[in-house]
Amino acid sequence: MQIGRPGDDAVPPGPFRDLVDRLHDLYLLAGGPSARSVSQAIFKNRTLESVSHETYRAALRGSYLLPWLKYQSIIVELNSRTRPPQAEAELLADFHTLWTLAREDYPNLRSGRGVPPPPGAENGSRPVRRLPERNAWFTGRRATQIRLRNAFEQHPTATVVLHGVNGTGKTQLAAEYAYRFPDDYPVIWWVRGTSVEQARTDLAELATELGLGDGDRSLAALKAYLSSPNLPYLLIFDGVEDRQVRGLIPNGGGHVLVTTTDRDLAYDPSVIEVEVLDFGPDEATEFLDRLLPGSSDAILTEIVELASRLPLALAMAANVDLETLRNSHAPSSPLVGTVRAARESLTDDHRSILDLFGWFGAAPVPMALLQREGTVRGRVGEILENPIELRRTLLKLANFGFVRLGGHHVEMTSLARQALVEIIPAEDAEVARQHVHDLLARSGLGPPGSTLAQGYRDIDAHLQPARLVESANPAAQRLIVDQIQFRALDGNLTGAAELARSAVEEWQRPGSLGPDHELVLRARIELAAALRGLGAYAEARSLAAAAKRQLQTSPAYGPEHELTLAAETGAALDLLMMGSYTRAVDAQQEAYDRSAAALGSAHPRTVDCRRQLAAGLRHAGQYAEAAELDQHDFDRLIAGGDTVEAVRAAFALADDLSGLGHYQRALDLLDQYAPMGARLIGDHDPGVLAAGRTAAVARRRLGRPGAVDELATLHLRCRELLDQAAPQVLAVTLSYANALRDAGRTSQAEALITDAIAAYERRLPSRHPLAVAARVNLAAVHRARGQWPTARQLGQRAAEQLRRALGADHPHTIVAAVNRATDLALTGDRAGAVAASRTAYATAERVLGPDHPDTLAAGTNLTLDLLAVGSGDERLRENMIGGWTKLLGEHEYVARLARGNRVECDLDPAPM
């Protein structure tokens, strides 16, 4: 993807603009090399400072001013790629002069213009703030505060990472920094980084506050806004452990502060690390002196010795009687002893509420979950159902340092939780665990869907710590199955598989539900589906086949049962994974017909069977039949007002239309529903990402500009969000490679296709149609390079394999046949090319219709092959040019065809 020169609105005229323009000129002279290739080359050159691919892009886009050594590395590497290279010493001297001028002017550029008002914002440049409550007892940390301040002053656009073990006060330190320098930042925003969902929610709320829109769609606008060099902001990502959260951290003109225990993140060369250690001896004593005014130095020193110098432990110890602290002291683990002493200091009521948090996870617990009426019996239930008494109890726990209170949630620090679990007596622990099971079981969410997504996300982190799969409560067991389905719908297939596997193992134990129970069978079917999505096809096939056999022969279920039909649908998907498209469609048709007869056409299981059948038909190349089914679903959902499902049906219908060659109709549909999908489902959803690929491919096939950039961005996003061998990633990879080949970047295209083929072959059976389709594209790359014998050999083998696997009438086989004729023509077999082109054109016209782009390609190439043997067909030629003109309009591509260029065909197979 070529990196465009920024506009004047992004980088205004001035010294910094001069530096960016000069660097961009050098980039173009070097051939516009990719960020990844430049970053890797710099890394291998031990004399240069490393530069990440994001930093390289930021330099060329003028996102912010880099340190000189970063620019030097980029300049040296780009110059090495120019022909001929410029004198390096003179070039670096010129750039250093530009950089010096830019550095002197940069503070004016950042602060002189004020905060750029975002589109549609009514609040102008008023301060935008969200921070946790300031800790009135914050003490010490002077050296760390100075290091933090210096890091931002010396590296004005760097990300600074506060790292250290749990309990050292990283969160409090980050908050205190924000409170000490409020005038430096018109925008200060706190982002919970414990999960990607929480981080996305907090960033979306910032976008709303800035007037940039609502929901997931606003995140792209926020990212662009934060990239402005005119905006001094401070974003604090607190508690970052999930690696996906890193993709949300902006690279721009402001300051980003991250707190984490992840050492890998802290020592990433693209960030500035500041380690947070325990209090020093004097800091620890000063901290306690503020909490316990009037205490003697000897007492303060003893408390420090008993509790350790961790801020969390000292905060707890300050609330505990000294004698209790002495009796609970554990020399090998001072925090455990402190927590034991603090717990013993509580009343029975407060202790019973505290013990609940030993079974919740390291994520906020919604207050609504705790307060659900009638969930817990006895005294604990009375406290939970009384808002005033519950609030008073939680405030007490917060004063001890056990929990943090928010407006709508309460959260125990992970270190306190670990220590608490160690010291709760077994009998009390079991009582608390049963209470937590009851609370989770009565969360009352209902079947998972987009309208309930936040509720499922709120409880997701608590299921495993509570060991909810061990609960004998039927409502808890039902919740487990619903949560498995939600994780899969939310794109967390790994989490879905883990939860399903643990549920199956637990529920099949003697004395539990048993292997024939409906929930066990549902969990097995969901496990197979998740594994299928993860590419573990062999295990998924084995699980699905076993469940299908068991259900079909069981007197309790039988062939017409809804669960049996679900298992059969999964087994049919496994046939697709094996490359047996025709058998898969037959099985899907049978399952759909039986479901419609037994359950009715509107039953959710029948609807799912119909969608799976449509997907199978698409893979089998029967796009018209798939479109008929998807159009029916789309019309029904639009009439019923089910917007989310209508969006998914629109995406499927757009795939059908693209397969039929109706690219503009597909684009019109996606232009309307893709933004809606990003807003309602999330722009990180695999289905939304797949729809983006469909739109980009349609634009490319219509000859619209920008396809390479669009697919490059989508490819990078898919790789950030999904497993590298996920079906959507491989599908986007092939489409991106096709666009790169069109743009003449054949080396990059070849590398991508080769990687995709290897990924397919690791997970799919030998000679699977998807891997063979990728080889069709690889042959096209060799043709583009003039490596005609290699292309002919590779293309012939691929065409034959597709014919055997899919039949001569499959659209992929037709494309391979069209390219096979091209290979014959290019290698001098003119007669063979005519025969191959005649067959390909006749088959395409019969199967796809005379106006399909692949038919036009076959016919266009046939006219050239006939002309080469002296048998030109002017009428056919005019028909082909007319067809292309109808499809593309007065396009340069049509003019090239009219001048005698052959048409190169390639494949964009749908993700499995």
PDB file of all heavy atoms in Angstrom, residues 8 40 181 551 567 619 654 668 743 772:
ATOM      1  N   ASP A   8      -2.780  19.555   3.454  1.00  0.00           N
ATOM      2  CA  ASP A   8      -2.439  20.724   4.265  1.00  0.00           C
ATOM      3  C   ASP A   8      -3.259  20.797   5.541  1.00  0.00           C
ATOM      4  O   ASP A   8      -2.828  21.403   6.526  1.00  0.00           O
ATOM      5  CB  ASP A   8      -2.654  22.005   3.455  1.00  0.00           C
ATOM      6  CG  ASP A   8      -1.591  22.180   2.374  1.00  0.00           C
ATOM      7  OD1 ASP A   8      -0.576  21.461   2.431  1.00  0.00           O
ATOM      8  OD2 ASP A   8      -1.784  23.025   1.480  1.00  0.00           O
ATOM      9  N   GLN A  40      11.968  -4.095   8.549  1.00  0.00           N
ATOM     10  CA  GLN A  40      12.788  -5.302   8.683  1.00  0.00           C
ATOM     11  C   GLN A  40      14.230  -5.046   8.241  1.00  0.00           C
ATOM     12  O   GLN A  40      15.175  -5.524   8.879  1.00  0.00           O
ATOM     13  CB  GLN A  40      12.172  -6.434   7.870  1.00  0.00           C
ATOM     14  CG  GLN A  40      10.866  -6.960   8.457  1.00  0.00           C
ATOM     15  CD  GLN A  40      10.206  -7.996   7.578  1.00  0.00           C
ATOM     16  OE1 GLN A  40      10.570  -8.177   6.417  1.00  0.00           O
ATOM     17  NE2 GLN A  40       9.202  -8.668   8.125  1.00  0.00           N
ATOM     18  N   PHE A 181      -0.848  17.866  35.897  1.00  0.00           N
ATOM     19  CA  PHE A 181      -0.574  18.669  34.698  1.00  0.00           C
ATOM     20  C   PHE A 181      -1.838  18.845  33.850  1.00  0.00           C
ATOM     21  O   PHE A 181      -1.819  18.590  32.653  1.00  0.00           O
ATOM     22  CB  PHE A 181       0.534  18.015  33.875  1.00  0.00           C
ATOM     23  CG  PHE A 181       1.810  17.806  34.630  1.00  0.00           C
ATOM     24  CD1 PHE A 181       2.148  16.546  35.125  1.00  0.00           C
ATOM     25  CD2 PHE A 181       2.665  18.870  34.873  1.00  0.00           C
ATOM     26  CE1 PHE A 181       3.321  16.360  35.835  1.00  0.00           C
ATOM     27  CE2 PHE A 181       3.845  18.678  35.586  1.00  0.00           C
ATOM     28  CZ  PHE A 181       4.173  17.427  36.068  1.00  0.00           C
ATOM     29  N   LEU A 551     -27.228 -38.574  18.117  1.00  0.00           N
ATOM     30  CA  LEU A 551     -28.555 -37.952  18.071  1.00  0.00           C
ATOM     31  C   LEU A 551     -29.510 -38.703  17.149  1.00  0.00           C
ATOM     32  O   LEU A 551     -30.700 -38.855  17.455  1.00  0.00           O
ATOM     33  CB  LEU A 551     -28.414 -36.492  17.631  1.00  0.00           C
ATOM     34  CG  LEU A 551     -27.840 -35.542  18.684  1.00  0.00           C
ATOM     35  CD1 LEU A 551     -27.303 -34.275  18.032  1.00  0.00           C
ATOM     36  CD2 LEU A 551     -28.910 -35.192  19.711  1.00  0.00           C
ATOM     37  N   ALA A 567     -26.568 -30.772  14.336  1.00  0.00           N
ATOM     38  CA  ALA A 567     -25.388 -31.618  14.142  1.00  0.00           C
ATOM     39  C   ALA A 567     -25.184 -31.938  12.670  1.00  0.00           C
ATOM     40  O   ALA A 567     -24.051 -31.971  12.171  1.00  0.00           O
ATOM     41  CB  ALA A 567     -25.526 -32.901  14.957  1.00  0.00           C
ATOM     42  N   HIS A 619     -20.107 -21.641  -2.443  1.00  0.00           N
ATOM     43  CA  HIS A 619     -18.854 -22.369  -2.638  1.00  0.00           C
ATOM     44  C   HIS A 619     -18.940 -23.294  -3.853  1.00  0.00           C
ATOM     45  O   HIS A 619     -17.937 -23.494  -4.560  1.00  0.00           O
ATOM     46  CB  HIS A 619     -18.505 -23.174  -1.389  1.00  0.00           C
ATOM     47  CG  HIS A 619     -17.923 -22.343  -0.288  1.00  0.00           C
ATOM     48  ND1 HIS A 619     -16.655 -21.831  -0.333  1.00  0.00           N
ATOM     49  CD2 HIS A 619     -18.450 -21.926   0.892  1.00  0.00           C
ATOM     50  CE1 HIS A 619     -16.403 -21.134   0.759  1.00  0.00           C
ATOM     51  NE2 HIS A 619     -17.482 -21.180   1.531  1.00  0.00           N
ATOM     52  N   ALA A 654     -24.803  -9.711  -1.088  1.00  0.00           N
ATOM     53  CA  ALA A 654     -23.760  -9.009  -1.847  1.00  0.00           C
ATOM     54  C   ALA A 654     -22.716  -9.993  -2.374  1.00  0.00           C
ATOM     55  O   ALA A 654     -22.217  -9.844  -3.504  1.00  0.00           O
ATOM     56  CB  ALA A 654     -23.092  -7.950  -0.964  1.00  0.00           C
ATOM     57  N   ASP A 668     -23.733  -1.214  -4.219  1.00  0.00           N
ATOM     58  CA  ASP A 668     -24.846  -0.388  -3.747  1.00  0.00           C
ATOM     59  C   ASP A 668     -25.405  -0.945  -2.438  1.00  0.00           C
ATOM     60  O   ASP A 668     -25.725  -0.189  -1.503  1.00  0.00           O
ATOM     61  CB  ASP A 668     -25.958  -0.337  -4.808  1.00  0.00           C
ATOM     62  CG  ASP A 668     -25.544   0.426  -6.056  1.00  0.00           C
ATOM     63  OD1 ASP A 668     -24.558   1.187  -5.980  1.00  0.00           O
ATOM     64  OD2 ASP A 668     -26.194   0.249  -7.109  1.00  0.00           O
ATOM     65  N   ALA A 743      -0.931  -3.887  -9.737  1.00  0.00           N
ATOM     66  CA  ALA A 743      -0.142  -2.667  -9.584  1.00  0.00           C
ATOM     67  C   ALA A 743       1.323  -2.880  -9.920  1.00  0.00           C
ATOM     68  O   ALA A 743       2.132  -1.953  -9.774  1.00  0.00           O
ATOM     69  CB  ALA A 743      -0.277  -2.146  -8.149  1.00  0.00           C
ATOM     70  N   VAL A 772      -5.919 -24.735  -4.289  1.00  0.00           N
ATOM     71  CA  VAL A 772      -5.719 -24.777  -5.743  1.00  0.00           C
ATOM     72  C   VAL A 772      -6.073 -23.419  -6.358  1.00  0.00           C
ATOM     73  O   VAL A 772      -5.394 -22.939  -7.275  1.00  0.00           O
ATOM     74  CB  VAL A 772      -6.546 -25.909  -6.375  1.00  0.00           C
ATOM     75  CG1 VAL A 772      -6.318 -25.946  -7.886  1.00  0.00           C
ATOM     76  CG2 VAL A 772      -6.176 -27.255  -5.757  1.00  0.00           C
TER      77      VAL A 772
END
